[in-house]
Amino acid sequence: MGRRKNLFEVLRKIEVLVYTFTLSCCLIFAACDSDSGTVPLNSSSKDTASNEFKYNYNLLDYYYIDKNLYLGRPEIYLNTATPEEMATYVVPWDYYDIYYMYSQMNDKFTRYIDPSRSYSLFNTLNSSEEKMGAGIEIDSTNTSGKYIISQVAENSPADKVGLKVGDEIIAIEGIEITNDIIFKRLSYAAEGDTINYTIVRNSVPLDFSVVLAPYLSPTVELTFKDSIPIIKIFEFSSITSNDSGTSEEFLDALRQTEKYKATIIDLQDNGGGDGDECIPMITSFLSKGDTAIGIISADRDSIFNRQVFDTAFTITDVDGIAKDRYFVFLANNMTASCSELMLAGILSNKNYPVVGTTTYGKGIGQRYIITPSLSIAAITSKRVVDKNRKFYHKYGIEPDFAINDRELAIEKAVELAKDMNYVRTAGYGSVNTGNFAKTAVKPDTMPGFYFIPKKFSY
């Protein structure tokens, strides 16, 4: 929690400095004209627009990638929302106009979160789920009646006392573990409680005392099926059980499996996260000089105070540690955002097969800005293109083998990994997935505004 709070405070200070600077650069509407890239308020509306509204209008004017199509003059958003309706949904009165303005953008991922909601959201944006417990997983596929530790979360209570993958738990609190009921009852405890484990490691019994405490969950899991490694990526986060985030967790899994010639990467139900974690992961598959991915970004020209665009491609500067390995990817209709970016970056260079269903089709990214009121502005400011400047946005990435059933999909992936011969023939989708019509999204607590799950937030 401390790391996230400190990060929030740092970003808050940065945004205050940015706000102060932009005010001096003619960000107040009354002092700007249309030649500067910002539309001025007319005289009758100047007094009704709050500084927070002005600030957010300018954010959209600079960073919203489709602002030329959907951002109108500021006057049309003022005093338009119905006070009775907004109050019913517990929206602070001084944010009515701002919420209404954001709702009119033709992009459900561009949204505004006022201070009453922003802090809790910020704490989840770039970190994995916080759990409470020992931080171990037991091998559920073991049929021998033994309780073998299959996963130990980094920096968890179990990790800190020295429990390891492969340890066999034979007793808890001195009571022999003979069935699942005993194991579950003895494993249940509250934060601050101590659980005493007796394990066997290399035929030697050892005792460990674990004090249960909160820990951040890992975002990468390594398992095996028929001797084929399966690396499951749940999300992309900069703050996880590993101090260096998802990218380092993933590299650890690649290092652990470096002796294997084929590996399965499971991106099913991974809705994305932090792009700064995803892009370095792409390069681990590529050779020096390969183009990983391209990002088209809308930004602010600080000299002329107007929107400008920049396209930046990531070029791999060293050989990736897995460039010579054969991979099979698992994906489905909930594979989105950073997961699709990862697929596009790898598959435009390598013809690895994909098993599952067509992906979500989110080839855009958001910039998150903390405003002077400590609200959060989430603005779509990026588009993703592959090395060939092709888009998959709204259409997704098609599988080579369309299989809905998860178990059957894994079986097919294992078959392909063992064979190591299939060359990808599918490409990007040709049918709109329908995920970018506002009517397709679950309404939030306000009419006209939409709740986007965290996993689709990048």
Side-chain angles (χ1 to χ4, degrees), residues 238-345:
S238 59
I239 304 173
T240 74
S241 59
N242 185 299
D243 291 335
S244 298
T246 300
S247 58
E248 189 57 35
E249 286 188 62
F250 181 69
L251 288 175
D252 283 345
L254 288 180
R255 295 184 191 106
Q256 291 176 49
T257 57
E258 62 183 351
K259 68 179 182 179
Y260 293 87
K261 294 181 179 180
T263 302
I264 296 169
I265 306 297
D266 187 353
L267 292 169
Q268 295 178 106
D269 298 326
N270 183 332
D274 188 344
D276 290 337
E277 293 297 311
C278 175
I279 293 176
M281 293 164 66
I282 298 174
T283 63
S284 63
F285 294 82
L286 308 182
S287 299
K288 181 179 179 179
D290 286 344
T291 299
I293 204 72
I295 306 293
I296 301 172
S297 301
D299 211 333
R300 173 192 171 217
D301 183 330
S302 59
I303 297 176
F304 296 102
N305 275 343
R306 63 187 178 192
Q307 186 182 70
V308 293
F309 290 91
D310 178 63
T311 301
F313 284 89
T314 298
I315 310 297
T316 307
D317 55 4
V318 296
D319 284 342
I321 65 172
K323 71 179 183 67
D324 296 323
R325 199 186 307 188
Y326 184 84
F327 288 92
V328 180
F329 289 87
L330 288 166
N332 62 9
N333 64 343
M334 300 298 281
T335 300
S337 196
C338 283
S339 294
E340 292 174 292
L341 185 154
M342 182 176 183
L343 283 172

Side-chain angles (χ1 to χ4, degrees), residues 91-137:
V91 175
W93 67 268
D94 45 345
Y95 297 100
Y96 290 178
D97 294 338
I98 304 172
Y99 267 107
Y100 178 75
M101 176 172 62
Y102 275 84
S103 76
Q104 300 308 298
M105 301 303 104
N106 194 39
D107 166 20
K108 65 192 181 187
F109 294 92
T110 295
R111 61 204 190 279
Y112 180 78
I113 303 97
D114 68 72
S116 66
R117 299 170 171 87
S118 63
Y119 188 73
S120 60
L121 174 63
F122 180 85
N123 277 339
T124 65
L125 282 177
N126 293 314
S127 67
S128 61
E129 179 185 359
E130 186 173 80
K131 295 184 177 181
M132 203 291 296
I136 60 175
E137 297 288 340

Side-chain angles (χ1 to χ4, degrees), residues 58-191:
N58 278 282
L59 292 181
L60 291 169
D61 190 50
Y62 294 136
Y63 301 121
Y64 185 41
I65 203 161
D66 285 328
K67 70 109 173 185
N68 289 335
L69 295 174
Y70 302 112
L71 183 64
R73 294 181 62 85
E75 288 85 358
I76 67 176
Y77 308 117
L78 296 172
N79 304 314
T80 303
T82 305
E84 293 78 15
E85 187 175 58
M86 301 291 266
T88 300
Y89 294 95
V90 200
V91 175
W93 67 268
D94 45 345
Y95 297 100
Y96 290 178
D97 294 338
I98 304 172
Y99 267 107
Y100 178 75
M101 176 172 62
Y102 275 84
S103 76
Q104 300 308 298
M105 301 303 104
N106 194 39
D107 166 20
K108 65 192 181 187
F109 294 92
T110 295
R111 61 204 190 279
Y112 180 78
I113 303 97
D114 68 72
S116 66
R117 299 170 171 87
S118 63
Y119 188 73
S120 60
L121 174 63
F122 180 85
N123 277 339
T124 65
L125 282 177
N126 293 314
S127 67
S128 61
E129 179 185 359
E130 186 173 80
K131 295 184 177 181
M132 203 291 296
I136 60 175
E137 297 288 340
I138 302 300
D139 186 359
S140 60
T141 64
N142 192 301
T143 58
S144 64
K146 295 183 179 181
Y147 293 84
I148 308 296
I149 296 177
S150 60
Q151 302 283 338
V152 179
E154 289 186 76
N155 294 314
S156 67
D159 183 43
K160 290 176 180 178
V161 299
L163 285 170
K164 300 181 181 296
V165 172
D167 289 344
E168 179 188 353
I169 300 174
I170 59 173
I172 299 178
E173 303 299 339
I175 300 174
E176 183 182 358
I177 305 301
T178 57
N179 57 56
D180 289 347
I181 294 176
I182 293 175
F183 180 82
K184 290 177 180 179
R185 285 184 176 177
L186 293 175
S187 298
Y188 180 80
E191 181 177 351

